[in-house]
Short mmCIF file of all heavy atoms in Angstrom, two decimals:
data_model
loop_
_atom_site.label_atom_id
_atom_site.label_comp_id
_atom_site.label_asym_id
_atom_site.label_seq_id
_atom_site.Cartn_x
_atom_site.Cartn_y
_atom_site.Cartn_z
N ILE B 14 16.96 -3.08 -0.32
CA ILE B 14 17.32 -1.72 0.11
C ILE B 14 16.58 -1.35 1.40
O ILE B 14 16.40 -0.12 1.73
CB ILE B 14 17.01 -0.67 -1.00
CG1 ILE B 14 15.57 -0.71 -1.46
CG2 ILE B 14 17.92 -0.90 -2.20
CD1 ILE B 14 15.22 0.40 -2.44
N GLY B 15 16.16 -2.42 2.12
CA GLY B 15 15.60 -2.17 3.47
C GLY B 15 14.21 -1.64 3.54
O GLY B 15 13.79 -1.00 4.53
N ILE B 16 13.43 -1.93 2.51
CA ILE B 16 12.01 -1.44 2.49
C ILE B 16 11.05 -2.62 2.35
O ILE B 16 11.22 -3.46 1.46
CB ILE B 16 11.81 -0.45 1.36
CG1 ILE B 16 12.67 0.81 1.52
CG2 ILE B 16 10.32 -0.06 1.23
CD1 ILE B 16 12.64 1.78 0.38
N ASN B 17 10.07 -2.63 3.25
CA ASN B 17 9.03 -3.69 3.17
C ASN B 17 7.96 -3.29 2.17
O ASN B 17 7.55 -2.12 2.11
CB ASN B 17 8.42 -3.91 4.54
CG ASN B 17 7.36 -4.99 4.54
OD1 ASN B 17 7.63 -6.16 4.29
ND2 ASN B 17 6.12 -4.57 4.86
N VAL B 18 7.44 -4.28 1.42
CA VAL B 18 6.41 -4.05 0.39
C VAL B 18 5.19 -4.88 0.68
O VAL B 18 5.32 -6.09 0.96
CB VAL B 18 6.96 -4.31 -1.02
CG1 VAL B 18 5.83 -4.26 -2.04
CG2 VAL B 18 8.02 -3.32 -1.43
N LYS B 19 4.02 -4.23 0.58
CA LYS B 19 2.76 -4.98 0.72
C LYS B 19 1.83 -4.60 -0.45
O LYS B 19 1.77 -3.42 -0.82
CB LYS B 19 2.05 -4.70 2.02
CG LYS B 19 0.89 -5.59 2.36
CD LYS B 19 0.37 -5.43 3.76
CE LYS B 19 -0.77 -6.37 4.05
NZ LYS B 19 -1.26 -6.19 5.48
N GLY B 20 1.25 -5.61 -1.07
CA GLY B 20 0.32 -5.31 -2.24
C GLY B 20 -1.01 -4.67 -1.79
O GLY B 20 -1.59 -5.04 -0.82
N LEU B 21 -1.34 -3.73 -2.59
CA LEU B 21 -2.60 -3.02 -2.30
C LEU B 21 -3.82 -3.98 -2.36
O LEU B 21 -4.80 -3.75 -1.59
CB LEU B 21 -2.82 -1.84 -3.31
CG LEU B 21 -4.01 -0.94 -3.14
CD1 LEU B 21 -4.00 -0.27 -1.74
CD2 LEU B 21 -4.08 0.11 -4.19
N HIS B 22 -3.73 -4.95 -3.14
CA HIS B 22 -4.84 -5.93 -3.25
C HIS B 22 -5.07 -6.74 -2.01
O HIS B 22 -6.12 -7.39 -1.89
CB HIS B 22 -4.58 -6.91 -4.46
CG HIS B 22 -3.36 -7.80 -4.21
ND1 HIS B 22 -2.05 -7.33 -4.19
CD2 HIS B 22 -3.33 -9.14 -4.01
CE1 HIS B 22 -1.27 -8.33 -3.94
NE2 HIS B 22 -1.95 -9.44 -3.84
N THR B 23 -4.14 -6.72 -1.10
CA THR B 23 -4.27 -7.51 0.12
C THR B 23 -4.99 -6.85 1.27
O THR B 23 -5.31 -7.46 2.27
CB THR B 23 -2.89 -7.97 0.65
OG1 THR B 23 -2.16 -6.80 1.07
CG2 THR B 23 -2.08 -8.73 -0.42
N PHE B 24 -5.28 -5.56 1.10
CA PHE B 24 -5.97 -4.80 2.15
C PHE B 24 -7.49 -4.92 2.05
O PHE B 24 -8.05 -4.82 0.96
CB PHE B 24 -5.55 -3.33 2.09
CG PHE B 24 -4.12 -3.07 2.44
CD1 PHE B 24 -3.11 -3.12 1.48
CD2 PHE B 24 -3.76 -2.75 3.76
CE1 PHE B 24 -1.83 -2.85 1.83
CE2 PHE B 24 -2.45 -2.50 4.16
CZ PHE B 24 -1.45 -2.52 3.11
N ALA B 25 -8.10 -5.06 3.20
CA ALA B 25 -9.57 -5.14 3.23
C ALA B 25 -10.18 -3.78 2.83
O ALA B 25 -11.22 -3.74 2.22
CB ALA B 25 -10.04 -5.55 4.62
N ASP B 26 -9.48 -2.75 3.18
CA ASP B 26 -9.89 -1.34 2.88
C ASP B 26 -8.79 -0.66 2.14
O ASP B 26 -7.99 0.02 2.78
CB ASP B 26 -10.29 -0.62 4.13
CG ASP B 26 -10.97 0.76 3.85
OD1 ASP B 26 -10.82 1.29 2.77
OD2 ASP B 26 -11.65 1.29 4.80
N PRO B 27 -8.70 -0.75 0.81
CA PRO B 27 -7.61 -0.18 0.05
C PRO B 27 -7.53 1.36 0.14
O PRO B 27 -6.45 1.93 0.08
CB PRO B 27 -7.79 -0.65 -1.35
CG PRO B 27 -9.21 -1.06 -1.43
CD PRO B 27 -9.61 -1.52 -0.06
N LYS B 28 -8.72 2.02 0.27
CA LYS B 28 -8.69 3.49 0.42
C LYS B 28 -7.95 3.86 1.73
O LYS B 28 -7.11 4.77 1.72
CB LYS B 28 -10.10 4.00 0.41
CG LYS B 28 -10.79 3.97 -0.92
CD LYS B 28 -12.16 4.67 -0.85
CE LYS B 28 -12.82 4.65 -2.23
NZ LYS B 28 -14.15 5.34 -2.20
N GLN B 29 -8.32 3.21 2.80
CA GLN B 29 -7.62 3.50 4.06
C GLN B 29 -6.16 3.15 3.99
O GLN B 29 -5.30 3.88 4.53
CB GLN B 29 -8.28 2.71 5.20
CG GLN B 29 -7.71 2.98 6.52
CD GLN B 29 -8.35 2.21 7.65
OE1 GLN B 29 -9.32 1.54 7.49
NE2 GLN B 29 -7.79 2.27 8.89
N ALA B 30 -5.83 2.09 3.27
CA ALA B 30 -4.45 1.67 3.14
C ALA B 30 -3.63 2.78 2.39
O ALA B 30 -2.52 3.11 2.82
CB ALA B 30 -4.32 0.36 2.33
N ILE B 31 -4.22 3.36 1.37
CA ILE B 31 -3.53 4.44 0.67
C ILE B 31 -3.35 5.64 1.55
O ILE B 31 -2.32 6.30 1.62
CB ILE B 31 -4.37 4.82 -0.61
CG1 ILE B 31 -4.23 3.68 -1.65
CG2 ILE B 31 -3.88 6.14 -1.20
CD1 ILE B 31 -5.13 3.89 -2.87
N GLN B 32 -4.39 5.98 2.33
CA GLN B 32 -4.31 7.14 3.22
C GLN B 32 -3.26 6.98 4.30
O GLN B 32 -2.60 7.93 4.69
CB GLN B 32 -5.71 7.35 3.89
CG GLN B 32 -6.78 7.77 2.90
CD GLN B 32 -8.21 7.66 3.49
OE1 GLN B 32 -8.38 7.29 4.67
NE2 GLN B 32 -9.17 7.93 2.71
N GLU B 33 -3.04 5.70 4.73
CA GLU B 33 -2.06 5.44 5.77
C GLU B 33 -0.70 5.09 5.28
O GLU B 33 0.29 5.00 6.07
CB GLU B 33 -2.64 4.33 6.70
CG GLU B 33 -3.91 4.76 7.43
CD GLU B 33 -4.46 3.64 8.25
OE1 GLU B 33 -3.94 2.48 8.19
OE2 GLU B 33 -5.45 3.86 8.97
N ALA B 34 -0.54 4.87 4.01
CA ALA B 34 0.72 4.37 3.46
C ALA B 34 1.84 5.44 3.53
O ALA B 34 1.54 6.70 3.60
CB ALA B 34 0.54 4.01 1.95
N LYS B 35 3.08 5.01 3.50
CA LYS B 35 4.20 5.91 3.54
C LYS B 35 4.71 6.27 2.12
O LYS B 35 5.40 7.27 1.91
CB LYS B 35 5.34 5.34 4.36
CG LYS B 35 4.99 5.09 5.84
CD LYS B 35 6.17 4.42 6.56
CE LYS B 35 5.78 4.17 8.01
NZ LYS B 35 6.93 3.52 8.77
N GLY B 36 4.43 5.39 1.18
CA GLY B 36 4.90 5.57 -0.19
C GLY B 36 4.32 4.54 -1.08
O GLY B 36 3.66 3.54 -0.66
N PHE B 37 4.53 4.66 -2.45
CA PHE B 37 3.88 3.79 -3.42
C PHE B 37 4.75 3.46 -4.56
O PHE B 37 5.62 4.25 -4.97
CB PHE B 37 2.63 4.51 -3.99
CG PHE B 37 1.68 5.08 -2.93
CD1 PHE B 37 1.78 6.36 -2.50
CD2 PHE B 37 0.70 4.29 -2.37
CE1 PHE B 37 0.90 6.87 -1.57
CE2 PHE B 37 -0.18 4.77 -1.42
CZ PHE B 37 -0.06 6.06 -0.98
N PHE B 38 4.52 2.27 -5.12
CA PHE B 38 5.13 1.85 -6.39
C PHE B 38 4.05 1.21 -7.20
O PHE B 38 3.43 0.23 -6.76
CB PHE B 38 6.33 0.92 -6.14
CG PHE B 38 6.85 0.26 -7.38
CD1 PHE B 38 6.88 0.95 -8.62
CD2 PHE B 38 7.45 -1.00 -7.34
CE1 PHE B 38 7.42 0.33 -9.77
CE2 PHE B 38 7.94 -1.62 -8.47
CZ PHE B 38 7.99 -0.93 -9.71
N THR B 39 3.84 1.69 -8.43
CA THR B 39 2.87 1.04 -9.32
C THR B 39 3.65 0.46 -10.53
O THR B 39 4.36 1.19 -11.26
CB THR B 39 1.83 2.07 -9.89
OG1 THR B 39 1.18 2.65 -8.77
CG2 THR B 39 0.86 1.34 -10.78
N GLY B 40 3.52 -0.83 -10.73
CA GLY B 40 4.26 -1.50 -11.74
C GLY B 40 3.61 -1.46 -13.09
O GLY B 40 2.50 -0.98 -13.25
N GLY B 41 4.34 -1.99 -14.11
CA GLY B 41 3.85 -1.95 -15.48
C GLY B 41 2.91 -3.07 -15.81
O GLY B 41 2.64 -3.95 -15.02
#
């Protein structure tokens, strides 16, 4: 559907990644 996904675990600074993210999906 034309959306790129990157795992939160891959970021050196996950807090900053959350602050800069455009949206989120948390799986089960």
Side-chain angles (χ1 to χ4, degrees):
I14 56 174
I16 297 175
N17 181 63
V18 170
K19 190 170 183 180
L21 184 58
H22 66 291
T23 64
F24 290 89
D26 188 340
K28 288 185 179 181
Q29 182 179 353
I31 289 173
Q32 293 166 2
E33 296 177 353
K35 297 178 181 179
F37 309 94
F38 171 34
T39 303

